[in-house]
Amino acid sequence: MREAPSSEATRRTSVRDLRTEREGVGLAARDSGLRRGEVVLLLHGSPQDSSCWDGVVPLLHAAGLRTLVMDQRGYGASGSPPGVAPYRTEELAADVVAVLDAAGVRQAHVVGHDWGGAVAWHTAAHHADRVSTLTVLSTPHPAAYSWSLTHSRQPLLSWYTLAFQTPWLPELVLAQVLEPVLAGGGLPPATAHRYAERLRRPVALGPPLAWYRAAVRRPPWHAWRATPAVGVPTTYLWGRRDPALGRAAAERTRRFVSGPYRFIELDEGHWLPELQPEAVARAVASRVAGP
């Protein structure tokens, strides 16, 4: 069990905007909470930004933790390099390492949702020395997802990934329909509006869609099966009403975690950080506390 802060200096909190650069791409994060608390790094998904964790972060601070909340490349205050190759998963995981380095953090408890979950899995598999524990929301292990594409109805749920491969048409359509699609998918109207407003222009949708395009072009889906098993203590939260990520991959994920593992099934849809912040914070704090 993690010990409670014992000194006044430890109890004091701080907030700072952290900025760094990796290979010409600016990266932004918000570093806040207990100055000497254990560090939780949070990775948003699509089409979110770091604000998706606004309901979770205060609860983690109340549990005695320090948080690093990233805007991943293509979103928020971070850079948006052109093209598709800069959005490969290995590049995104390298961004995580760069932010940890900039914050002076050797190891963090990594938390990711949606595409942030994919980055979190990759980081834990390929940069295990930087990850103390892992908590993933919604997104199954990549190898479990790859398996589900040929053993379940997952291709029907993931139809939009292939639709996003078409040049420019997805940008033009999503700029018009993103807000009602998000609201119809369960996000509160104000949250759906905030996310959609930031992506109202088709050109702003290019980088977020590049995440999907990079995943299909390299590595191809079958290569995801080779993603190593994760050895760090891991918690996986999945909503049984998730319209995009089905049960087959969610249940198979346990096969790709060799360390201590917890699977938490919630009666919820996809947007767990926004709709279930208490459950998310509780799961993260519990994972930090021990196996």
Side-chain angles (χ1 to χ4, degrees):
M1 179 70 72
R2 179 176 49 82
E3 294 182 0
S6 57
S7 68
E8 183 62 30
T10 301
R11 286 193 293 269
R12 287 187 297 171
T13 63
S14 63
V15 180
R16 67 172 177 138
D17 290 327
L18 177 68
R19 295 186 179 275
T20 190
E21 184 175 295
R22 190 182 75 80
E23 297 183 355
V25 179
L27 302 171
R30 186 174 66 257
D31 183 353
S32 59
L34 287 179
R35 192 171 302 172
R36 293 173 58 188
E38 293 193 47
V39 178
V40 178
L41 184 141
L42 299 116
L43 303 169
H44 66 83
S46 175
Q48 301 152 302
D49 55 33
S50 59
S51 69
C52 78
W53 303 108
D54 284 355
V56 177
V57 165
L59 302 175
L60 296 179
H61 292 170
L65 299 168
R66 173 184 167 193
T67 58
L68 275 173
V69 187
M70 282 183 64
D71 274 325
Q72 299 203 74
R73 61 171 61 194
Y75 291 91
S78 288
S80 299
V84 170
Y87 299 92
R88 294 169 179 166
T89 309
E90 58 264 35
E91 296 292 339
L92 305 169
D95 288 348
V96 171
V97 174
V99 167
L100 292 178
D101 287 344
V105 175
R106 179 59 192 166
Q107 281 193 326
H109 304 274
V110 177
V111 181
H113 173 247
D114 187 79
W115 271 113
V119 177
W121 284 117
H122 189 96
T123 304
H126 295 279
H127 305 279
D129 61 319
R130 309 304 301 270
V131 180
S132 299
T133 70
L134 180 68
T135 302
V136 179
L137 320 180
S138 304
T139 311
H141 186 280
Y145 181 82
S146 179
W147 175 89
S148 74
L149 290 173
T150 56
H151 292 81
S152 75
R153 59 190 295 268
Q154 184 60 52
L156 297 177
L157 304 180
S158 300
W159 64 269
Y160 56 90
T161 300
L162 292 179
F164 289 167
Q165 305 308 308
T166 304
W168 283 110
L169 182 59
E171 283 90 332
L172 295 174
V173 173
L174 281 175
Q176 302 300 317
V177 306
L178 184 58
E179 183 170 345
V181 166
L182 293 176
L187 275 176
T191 304
H193 177 77
R194 186 174 76 251
Y195 293 158
E197 189 63 25
R198 178 174 44 80
L199 301 172
R200 191 70 66 186
R201 295 180 300 121
V203 67
L205 282 157
L209 288 172
W211 286 55
Y212 292 89
R213 291 163 178 161
V216 169
R217 297 178 192 181
R218 181 181 179 272
W221 295 120
H222 70 268
W224 283 34
R225 296 175 186 152
T227 302
V230 169
V232 302
T234 298
T235 296
Y236 174 39
L237 285 80
W238 174 74
R240 66 174 64 101
R241 292 188 280 119
D242 193 317
L245 297 165
R247 179 175 293 277
E251 293 184 345
R252 195 171 181 83
T253 289
R254 69 174 62 249
R255 299 191 180 201
F256 301 99
V257 180
S258 60
Y261 180 70
R262 299 173 190 160
F263 176 53
I264 300 175
E265 182 175 333
L266 301 175
D267 184 23
E268 189 54 83
H270 183 71
W271 307 103
L272 301 183
E274 295 91 346
L275 300 180
Q276 293 288 339
E278 294 86 0
V280 170
R282 187 164 54 248
V284 173
S286 177
R287 176 46 71 200
V288 170

